[in-house]
């Protein structure tokens, strides 16, 4: 019996500073890898949070995140903004 590793999962958010962030891309496996690759190519911050990604993966594309995910998502946005202010790397 072999244990396989779970497929990678990625969810991309867009936040324009007004309203709630929107899910703009999501996927498992090869699609997730492409989302991550594209983010790196464009120097977009990447935060690894499996539980949040799983929860956000249930949101339809282009929909705003649900209110119950505001706090967790706000923490990620604060992390990303902090990186930008410090001029640090945008990816782990």
């Amino acid at each position: 019996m072999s244990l396989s590793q779970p497929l990678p999962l990625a969810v991309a958010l867009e936040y324009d500073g007004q309203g709630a962030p929107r899910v703009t891309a999501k996927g498992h496996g090869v699609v997730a890898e492409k989302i991550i690759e594209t983010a790196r190519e464009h120097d977009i911050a990447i935060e690894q949070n499996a539980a949040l990604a799983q929860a956000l993966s249930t949101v339809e594309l282009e929909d705003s995140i649900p209110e119950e995910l505001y706090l967790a998502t706000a923490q990620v946005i604060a992390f990303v903004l902090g990186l930008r202010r410090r001029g640090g790397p945008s990816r782990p």
Side-chain angles (χ1 to χ4, degrees):
M1 176 163 144
S2 69
L3 298 175
S4 62
Q5 291 189 320
L7 292 175
L9 168 65
V11 178
L13 299 176
E14 181 178 340
Y15 182 60
D16 63 6
Q18 297 185 6
R22 294 179 304 114
V23 172
T24 56
K26 62 181 182 173
H28 287 87
V30 175
V31 173
E33 291 170 358
K34 183 64 177 169
I35 291 168
I36 294 165
E37 177 185 326
T38 301
R40 287 183 174 142
E41 288 172 358
H42 291 88
D43 201 30
I44 295 171
I46 298 171
E47 168 69 15
Q48 293 181 344
N49 184 325
L52 182 57
Q54 185 63 44
L56 290 170
S57 72
T58 65
V59 178
E60 294 296 323
L61 288 175
E62 299 304 324
D63 281 357
S64 296
I65 65 166
E67 191 172 329
E68 59 267 20
L69 297 177
Y70 281 8
L71 180 58
T73 304
Q75 290 170 338
V76 171
I77 291 170
F79 169 78
V80 169
L81 292 175
L83 284 176
R84 286 184 183 167
R85 277 194 290 274
R86 289 189 301 271
S90 62
R91 55 188 108 121

